[in-house]
Amino acid sequence: MATVATLAIPSTTNICVTEDYSPTKKRHTELHDLPTPQEVDIPLPPPSFLPTEILDLDKGTPDHHVPRDPRLLRLTGVHPFNVEPPLTALFNEGFLTSPELFYVRNHGPVPQVRDQDIPEWSVRIEGLVDNPVTLSMRDIVENYDQITAPITLVCAGNRRKEQNTVRKSKGFSWGPSGLSTALFTGPMMADILRSARPRRGAKFVCMEGADRLPNGFYGTSVKLNWALDRNKGIMLAYKMNGEPLTPDHGRPLRVVVPGQIGGRSVKWLTRLIVTDTPSDNWYHVNDNRVLPTMVSPEMSAQDKKWWTDERYAIYDLNVNSATVYPEHEERLDLTTSGELYTAKGYAYAGGGRRITRVELSLDKGKSWRLAEIKYAEDRYREYEGELFGGKVDMWQRETCFCWSFWSLAIPVADLQDSDALLVRAMDDAMSVQPRDMYWSVLGMMNNPWFRVAITKEGNSLIFEHPTHPTKAGGWMEKVKKSGGDLTNGYWGERQQSDEPLEQAPVKEICMKKDGVSRIISLDELKINSSNGEPWFVVDGEVYDGTAFLEGHPGGAISITSSAGLDVSEDFLAIHSETAKAMMPDYHIGTLRPDAIKALKNSTQPTPGERRPTFLQPNAWFKLKLSEKKTVSWDTKIFVFQLEHDTQTLGLPIGQHLMIKLNDPISNEPIIRSYTPISEGNLQGRMELLVKIYHPGTNTPGGRMTMALDRLPLGADVDCKGPTGRFEYLGKGEVLISGKKRPVQSMKMICGGTGITPIFQVLRAVMQDTNDSTSFVVLDGNRLEEDILCRSELEMYAEQHAQRCRVVHTLTQGSESWKGRRGRISETLLQEFAAPEELSMVLICGPPAMEQFAKRTLLAQGWAESDLHFF
Ligand code: HEM
Ligand SMILES: Nc1nc2c(c(=O)[nH]1)N[C@H]1C(S)=C(S)[C@@H](COP(=O)(O)O)O[C@H]1N2
Ligand SMILES: [Mo]
């Protein structure tokens, strides 16, 4: 080991702040130059390939600027970004985790920091100090001693899914990978604070990040004396494994508080405030606590005092361990397996305490076997020198701030005779993981013995972890489903002394409002959602999230992006009982049963797949604008390219698609339904006929149409569909709300761009020589120039005179206009759209026109079920 110190490791003491922060740099060159781990006995970072691509998933979110690794498991839907790596992938990286696989816990959007702004990034140190200062990145990097140290960060929510399976907590589910380890580089916080000279009486240091959240900036505090104590290792960091911090991990600067829960390690650091009381930041008060187990979500919501009692705030991590091998759902073939199976996993403790033993049991905890433990962190204690521009100086530090790895070779015969492999760790304070879970409102610090269930299947053993972070399955769910009580001290196994079947006393939270009896169709859901009211579905019930957009802790975007969707799975996975108890206020009705199925059946997109048809009913896909053709002074055809030349849109006749794009002015998404003018089986492209509603003296203009008009060629819009409850099946057959209906004739009443859905149906009939359905089109416009699709309409009327009649009426026709004049009137409706057997009326136009038509047609003898409004 003596050779270690003499090895020349390239250092980067002279950090050029700007160059060092290129986010697009693929790979840190220093790593190539470093000695291999065999030469120097310290574990070096695994090969890292920082992603440079923005994933499609992130494109429509406030994090559209953050490149990410697709392997990460998203725990709270698309946004905010809360992810853990797959457990095996994390473990297999070894002691250090590459930044792209490092778990992420973001309460909101990632602040966008440009390269050129980094040197000017500043941190203000203020409060109870004699010398308040503002330090720039340059000061922080150049004027303070820099250190590099390996540190494991663990989210207080690690393993929370197990808590949520017992009883839903006020927190989303984490599997056992809510932890990662890296070499952090930067100055000690003690040095930074000393230069501001804290005053007598100062006891805490509050930290604040730049991420703007629903309840203010993220912030928290730790004790000042800890921050000043070098043994506690609290530091600021701007590098992780020698790379500049990535956006998700706090670029350009964060706090790292070793040995404590990750929540104290504030990212995107902007302020340090020295105070005499703990932080009053919303996230300090309402997050990262273990309330007494009897405090229910409702109790905690009713009484603030639970949240302000500092005794319940978490600082040091507790002792914890988990098994990685056997993996979840691993199968061990007994005919080919050797005699021994080596179980492996990780263990960590808090506050710098060392893991002093890890024990495994195969008989429910009656007897234990001692595992071997590897402390990779200790290898750094013997190393002296610089690494990534920071001094590695840990020889005198006795503290353990990193995870350790345990392993134990077990005779396969013993596994075969056992129902479960249990693991527990102990630390140097002799704290040991408990057998039983300590459930609490926030579900944090979950650390009971980690149990891997073993079952026999033929000649194999099947292993099962308690849960999977994002998928169904795991032994806990199975036990719960079969009526077992997970909290009975025997992992839910029924004991002989037990009553025949004890029902878990879990109270279901009712999310429905008393007296709400409205039945909502799929169409209504879609229409209202596309009109800017975010209606979404959870367990077959419809909620309108409009009134909660501003107050929503998850941000408005998580609600708006749920508009028109069945989000049961995500919603239930994310929300606490408290959140669910709020839902009656937003409950507006029940979705029609057929609609529930239609929503559920829609498939999820597979990225990179060459799909024959473009549209998917529950997923947004991007289309590129390739051409704008001017039709008249206010009307254009927008040509969009499909994903490949032979792809078709996949829009049934009579149905619509939703288009979503960002309002260039407010930057908010706008969603509207359209019917393309191009044919549904056209390959490679789609054409939309759109009348642009420019602002007038008294009218604001159409937001969507103006936004479309401004969209540059090559830009993307999001599309989803089909929607609509009407479909023309062909040869006189109509499908309406899932029911077939024969028609011999159709009356089509339209105004302005209302012609588009009507034209689509008309064209389908006209193109089919075997279709004998007849039509009348009553088309109202202002000027002759405003008539859309006129030549096609007239061509049809000419070629199929017996079954196609087209009547135009103009409100401001010029003198030369020979056709009808005035609005669509009672007389016109009587003359061209009188009730008939085996007929129906299709209507599409401005709201006033649609209302007038409805009233008049009903008065003239049509039944409501004969009318369809697009
Ligand atoms: C009006 C309806 C809604 C209400 C009353 C509501 C309420 C809440 C509450 C109280 C929280 C804080 C955490 C908790 O107590 O569980 C929360 C967080 C959150 N909600 Fe909602 N929510 C609504 C709709 C939605 C929808 C439709 C989604 C999308 C599926 C969503 C996604 C989220 C996310 C991602 C978080 C935060 C995750 C984090 O802590 O970073 N919410 N919501
Ligand atoms: N500014 C800011 N800092 C933050 C958070 C945050 O949302 N905003 N999340 C905290 C929590 S709860 C954890 S567990 C760690 C996670 O750090 P990581 O995302 O780099 O793994 O960051 C902490 N620091
Ligand atoms: Mo966390």
Side-chain angles (χ1 to χ4, degrees), residues 486-618:
L486 286 167
T487 61
N488 69 358
Y490 294 94
W491 307 278
E493 255 169 47
R494 215 154 296 136
Q495 300 301 299
Q496 285 182 341
S497 57
D498 278 358
E499 294 292 305
L501 198 122
E502 41 180 297
Q503 217 35 63
V506 177
K507 209 173 78 197
E508 278 297 316
I509 300 286
C510 179
M511 306 208 302
K512 295 193 258 183
K513 180 155 52 192
D514 279 346
V516 167
S517 58
R518 177 167 170 196
I519 301 294
I520 294 171
S521 69
L522 189 57
D523 219 29
E524 259 183 293
L525 174 79
K526 295 284 178 192
I527 287 169
N528 283 285
S529 296
S530 51
N531 285 342
E533 284 175 25
W535 289 17
F536 61 90
V537 178
V538 177
D539 280 352
E541 302 296 324
V542 182
Y543 300 87
D544 180 354
T546 314
F548 200 50
L549 289 176
E550 265 187 40
H552 185 226
I557 181 140
S558 25
I559 297 183
T560 50
S561 63
S562 304
L565 299 179
D566 183 335
V567 291
S568 308
E569 207 176 285
D570 280 3
F571 184 94
L572 296 172
I574 292 166
H575 293 94
S576 66
E577 290 171 23
T578 316
K580 288 173 193 162
M582 296 166 68
M583 293 306 284
D585 285 352
Y586 308 97
H587 184 218
I588 53 170
T590 304
L591 195 63
R592 266 195 4 206
D594 58 324
I596 297 178
K597 233 169 119 205
L599 269 183
K600 282 257 161 68
N601 282 349
S602 31
T603 47
Q604 277 303 318
T606 318
E609 182 194 1
R610 203 175 152 91
R611 302 172 307 122
T613 51
F614 173 76
L615 286 176
Q616 293 283 318
N618 75 339

Side-chain angles (χ1 to χ4, degrees), residues 57-78:
L57 217 58
D58 290 313
K59 281 183 182 155
T61 78
D63 290 349
H64 55 77
H65 54 99
V66 188
R68 287 172 171 150
D69 193 304
R71 287 173 296 174
L72 295 168
L73 305 172
R74 299 200 184 215
L75 308 172
T76 56
V78 174

Side-chain angles (χ1 to χ4, degrees), residues 39-87:
E39 291 172 72
V40 175
D41 199 18
I42 50 171
L44 290 169
S48 151
F49 301 93
L50 289 178
T52 52
E53 300 265 307
I54 307 291
L55 300 178
D56 277 349
L57 217 58
D58 290 313
K59 281 183 182 155
T61 78
D63 290 349
H64 55 77
H65 54 99
V66 188
R68 287 172 171 150
D69 193 304
R71 287 173 296 174
L72 295 168
L73 305 172
R74 299 200 184 215
L75 308 172
T76 56
V78 174
H79 188 86
F81 193 59
N82 291 299
V83 294
E84 66 178 77
L87 181 62

Side-chain angles (χ1 to χ4, degrees), residues 423-445:
V423 60
R424 71 176 181 200
M426 195 187 277
D427 68 14
D428 61 17
M430 305 296 162
S431 292
V432 65
Q433 285 179 250
R435 180 189 65 178
D436 297 332
M437 174 183 293
Y438 187 90
W439 188 92
S440 71
V441 165
L442 290 178
M444 289 176 157
M445 305 293 267

Side-chain angles (χ1 to χ4, degrees), residues 8-63:
I9 294 197
S11 77
T12 46
T13 333
N14 300 318
I15 288 148
C16 168
V17 176
T18 8
E19 272 179 26
D20 237 41
Y21 282 97
S22 164
T24 47
K25 214 169 44 170
K26 261 247 149 79
R27 175 79 164 75
H28 203 280
T29 43
E30 278 176 56
L31 292 183
H32 294 300
D33 306 335
L34 279 172
T36 61
Q38 290 77 39
E39 291 172 72
V40 175
D41 199 18
I42 50 171
L44 290 169
S48 151
F49 301 93
L50 289 178
T52 52
E53 300 265 307
I54 307 291
L55 300 178
D56 277 349
L57 217 58
D58 290 313
K59 281 183 182 155
T61 78
D63 290 349

Side-chain angles (χ1 to χ4, degrees), residues 81-83 102-109 111 153-157 174 178-180 184 208-211 213 217-220 240 245-246 248-250 254-255 261-269 283 287-288 444:
F81 193 59
N82 291 299
V83 294
F102 200 105
Y103 87 92
V104 180
R105 169 65 174 115
N106 290 340
H107 285 73
L153 288 182
V154 185
C155 183
W174 287 93
L179 82 170
S180 303
F184 289 96
E208 200 173 88
D211 44 339
L213 306 172
F217 293 106
Y218 184 83
T220 179
M240 218 168 144
L245 285 183
T246 58
D248 275 323
H249 295 295
R254 73 176 302 166
V255 175
I261 52 157
R264 306 288 167 229
S265 295
V266 173
K267 303 191 274 190
W268 312 293
L269 182 72
Y283 298 90
D287 206 349
N288 293 318
M444 289 176 157

Side-chain angles (χ1 to χ4, degrees), residues 130-202:
D130 283 333
N131 180 36
V133 283
T134 302
L135 300 176
S136 68
M137 266 306 271
R138 198 167 268 131
D139 296 329
I140 289 167
V141 173
E142 290 174 5
N143 301 339
Y144 292 86
D145 288 341
Q146 307 292 312
I147 65 151
T148 294
I151 292 162
T152 297
L153 288 182
V154 185
C155 183
N158 191 31
R159 294 183 62 190
R160 190 195 272 131
K161 188 158 188 186
E162 297 165 49
Q163 294 245 332
N164 282 343
T165 309
V166 165
R167 177 179 183 183
K168 184 73 181 82
S169 73
K170 243 167 103 78
F172 59 84
S173 289
W174 287 93
S177 297
L179 82 170
S180 303
T181 307
L183 286 162
F184 289 96
T185 301
M188 298 298 296
M189 193 193 271
D191 294 341
I192 300 280
L193 287 171
R194 284 213 173 86
S195 54
R197 295 203 300 276
R199 278 192 214 143
R200 210 188 144 77

Side-chain angles (χ1 to χ4, degrees), residues 323-397:
T323 301
V324 179
Y325 293 102
E327 295 178 84
H328 179 47
E329 291 175 350
E330 182 175 329
R331 177 183 284 265
L332 181 68
D333 186 340
L334 296 168
T335 57
T336 56
S337 75
E339 267 175 38
L340 293 174
Y341 179 96
T342 304
K344 292 182 204 166
Y346 70 75
Y348 61 81
R353 285 178 289 279
R354 178 176 291 267
I355 288 294
T356 51
R357 75 198 71 176
V358 173
E359 299 165 313
L360 280 79
S361 174
L362 288 168
D363 56 5
K364 307 189 202 304
K366 287 192 203 82
S367 67
W368 294 88
R369 312 170 186 218
L370 197 57
E372 190 188 323
I373 308 171
K374 285 235 156 59
Y375 304 95
E377 181 182 8
D378 285 347
R379 316 223 305 260
Y380 283 88
R381 294 182 210 281
E382 293 156 51
Y383 176 81
E384 236 183 290
E386 294 242 343
L387 198 55
F388 308 130
K391 197 166 165 202
V392 179
D393 188 16
M394 290 173 41
W395 66 270
Q396 86 313 9
R397 208 195 252 178

